[in-house]
Amino acid sequence: TARVHQELARLVYISSRNILFIGKFRSVKVRGKMENEIIIEVSKIEYIDESVDKVSTTDELKKIDSMLDDQFFDKLASSFAPNIYGYEDIKKSILLHLVGGGNTRRTRIHIIIIGNPGRGKSELLNFTGKLGKSCYVNGKLASGAGLAAGIVKLSTGASIPSTGALTLYDYVMIDETDKAKKEDRAAILECLEQGTVSLKKVGVDLTVPANASILAAANPRLGKWKSDLGLEQNINLESFLLSRFDLIWGVIHQSSGERARVAHHIISQATNDQEIPFNVDELKRYINFCKTIKPKLTEKAAKHLEEFYVRTADYIEENNDETLPLEERQLEGLIRMATAHAKLHLKDEVEVIDMQEAIRLYEESLHSFGI
């Protein structure tokens, strides 16, 4: 039995992370029995995995500095999940998601990938997990309480509030999002937008910071994408959930040429060793270093975005086609992505070229659905 007092009592909640207790052993009399119990009086609590993230060494930064050119983003993308062929733009957007943005209310970039089974979505999620303090969740098996917050019944019969994965990790990858129950999906809404997790039950009023960036994957409503149906009929997710993601990618159509290239890539991987610019550890250290940079948005880049937003929003309204959302949330998302792009290129300012890349990725995400 461990005993905690005062400030420490607020820190204690059930979690899957390793916790180190430091304290003194004491012998305490057990009421009504002729025996004593050994307990530990806890004086300090530490997370074992809370070690400071390692950043790129000086030598690595010198090497990166010599590589900073127009193709640098492509080189980073080719180092991300090299075992998966193609998906360059999705890989680029996941790198932005890992670095995080700035210049807006929140820095977290959320992405969802919707597509047919067997197209490597889970592999992308798994590789993302290697690059930060992360948690992989299967939507079919996870509950809203496990993701956000819930009440846990202890062996003593007492019930205590407990928080889940969204409050414990920097990155949460949610696979099979469409297979989760509607109420469990609703549990992540607050984290996506406000960056908090709340629990309001009788006698419990809990609000905890949840700074997780979410990368989600989902299948279409009928298992496979049906071209004769519209977007809304194919996507098995609520519109209020979709609008909170900065980027929505479709992995739907695959031409026979692409299929042949994928097959060639898989077979050549089995026979040859690939040369990639950065290994997993180097990429992880570089992403940690980029997170520390805080570039400012320039007026030119802001003006460029404003013109694009007004023009595109008007176009969507006039044509009123079935399209994915372009609202104020997506506008902030584009600022976040442009800031992340500037961070990856070690810049002090977010320039027009960074904004153009963010807009290009947004447009490519629309094209991936045939919009």
Side-chain angles (χ1 to χ4, degrees):
T1 305
R3 208 181 254 181
V4 287
H5 300 280
Q6 296 166 0
E7 263 316 287
L8 290 177
R10 287 179 58 241
L11 281 174
V12 179
Y13 48 78
I14 294 168
S15 86
S16 56
R17 274 154 93 178
N18 295 332
I19 295 173
L20 176 70
F21 289 117
I22 298 167
K24 290 178 182 171
F25 283 108
R26 277 188 54 200
S27 174
V28 181
K29 186 152 179 57
V30 181
R31 190 180 294 171
K33 288 188 181 177
M34 296 288 291
E35 59 186 50
N36 280 21
E37 185 188 10
I38 302 293
I39 68 160
I40 180 170
E41 288 276 7
V42 179
S43 57
K44 196 176 181 187
I45 295 174
E46 287 176 5
Y47 288 112
I48 293 173
D49 59 356
E50 206 81 334
S51 56
V52 178
D53 290 329
K54 292 191 176 84
V55 296
S56 297
T57 61
T58 315
D59 292 341
E60 283 174 352
L61 286 172
K62 278 179 187 167
K63 174 190 157 190
I64 288 162
D65 210 35
S66 64
M67 291 167 72
L68 280 171
D69 55 14
D70 295 344
Q71 273 76 50
F72 181 64
F73 204 12
D74 297 319
K75 289 171 192 166
L76 281 176
S78 67
S79 304
F80 183 93
N83 55 324
I84 300 171
Y85 175 80
Y87 300 154
E88 271 78 17
D89 287 331
I90 296 180
K91 289 176 181 181
K92 285 178 179 179
S93 58
I94 293 175
L95 284 168
L96 300 183
H97 152 87
L98 284 162
V99 169
N103 295 314
T104 55
R105 291 174 302 130
R106 62 176 161 97
T107 59
R108 303 175 318 284
I109 295 172
H110 307 301
I111 297 171
I112 186 164
I113 306 167
I114 298 168
N116 295 335
R119 294 293 301 279
K121 300 188 299 295
S122 300
E123 275 298 310
L124 287 170
L125 265 62
N126 278 324
F127 193 87
T128 307
K130 296 175 185 175
L131 299 172
K133 206 178 291 170
S134 63
C135 172
Y136 176 89
V137 176
N138 187 315
K140 195 168 179 141
L141 305 173
S143 67
L147 279 169
I151 301 289
V152 175
K153 208 171 182 75
L154 300 178
S155 55
T156 56
S159 296
I160 59 160
S162 168
T163 58
L166 295 173
T167 62
L168 299 173
Y169 298 94
D170 297 338
Y171 307 102
V172 174
M173 289 82 66
I174 306 174
D175 208 350
E176 311 282 1
T177 313
D178 55 306
K179 314 254 183 341
K181 291 180 186 157
K182 195 173 179 180
E183 55 270 26
D184 293 338
R185 280 203 297 267
I188 68 171
L189 276 178
E190 187 187 347
C191 171
L192 282 165
E193 193 60 43
Q194 274 80 35
T196 54
V197 157
S198 298
L199 185 64
K200 303 283 186 277
K201 297 268 168 114
V202 178
V204 177
D205 182 357
L206 180 78
T207 301
V208 184
N211 292 316
S213 300
I214 293 174
L215 176 63
N219 294 135
R221 189 184 294 272
L222 301 168
K224 278 206 164 177
W225 193 272
K226 303 280 186 246
S227 303
D228 50 337
L229 297 176
L231 268 180
E232 282 179 15
Q233 285 83 25
N234 267 312
I235 295 177
N236 194 19
L237 296 167
E238 300 79 22
S239 57
F240 59 77
L241 188 69
L242 274 184
S243 70
R244 283 169 165 80
F245 286 98
D246 297 302
L247 276 180
I248 304 164
W249 286 101
V251 185
I252 301 159
H253 308 292
Q254 191 179 31
S255 65
S256 55
E258 273 179 346
R259 201 172 289 123
R261 285 195 291 276
V262 170
H264 175 73
H265 180 77
I266 291 168
I267 291 161
S268 65
Q269 255 194 328
T271 52
N272 309 316
D273 281 338
Q274 271 182 300
E275 271 197 33
I276 49 171
F278 300 96
N279 63 35
V280 174
D281 289 334
E282 285 173 338
L283 195 58
K284 184 178 180 177
R285 286 196 292 270
Y286 184 59
I287 285 167
N288 288 336
F289 179 75
C290 291
K291 281 188 203 170
T292 61
I293 303 166
K294 291 185 167 58
K296 291 272 179 283
L297 186 66
T298 60
E299 278 189 23
K300 277 185 182 175
K303 190 85 184 119
H304 184 79
L305 174 62
E306 198 177 327
E307 285 167 3
F308 165 79
Y309 174 71
V310 171
R311 189 172 67 242
T312 312
D314 287 348
Y315 176 81
I316 289 171
E317 206 170 295
E318 281 168 27
N319 292 277
N320 205 20
D321 286 320
E322 217 182 24
T323 185
L324 294 170
L326 177 65
E327 296 159 356
E328 287 76 3
R329 278 195 185 124
Q330 277 64 42
L331 186 68
E332 286 190 338
L334 287 167
I335 296 171
R336 275 191 287 277
M337 287 192 293
T339 308
H341 187 265
K343 283 181 175 182
L344 272 177
H345 290 76
L346 308 178
K347 293 181 186 173
D348 295 331
E349 290 186 329
V350 182
E351 297 163 352
V352 174
I353 192 165
D354 302 309
M355 195 57 77
Q356 283 169 340
E357 181 60 19
I359 289 169
R360 188 191 71 77
L361 285 171
Y362 173 75
E363 288 178 335
E364 285 300 325
S365 72
L366 294 182
H367 296 164
S368 68
F369 288 99
I371 297 169

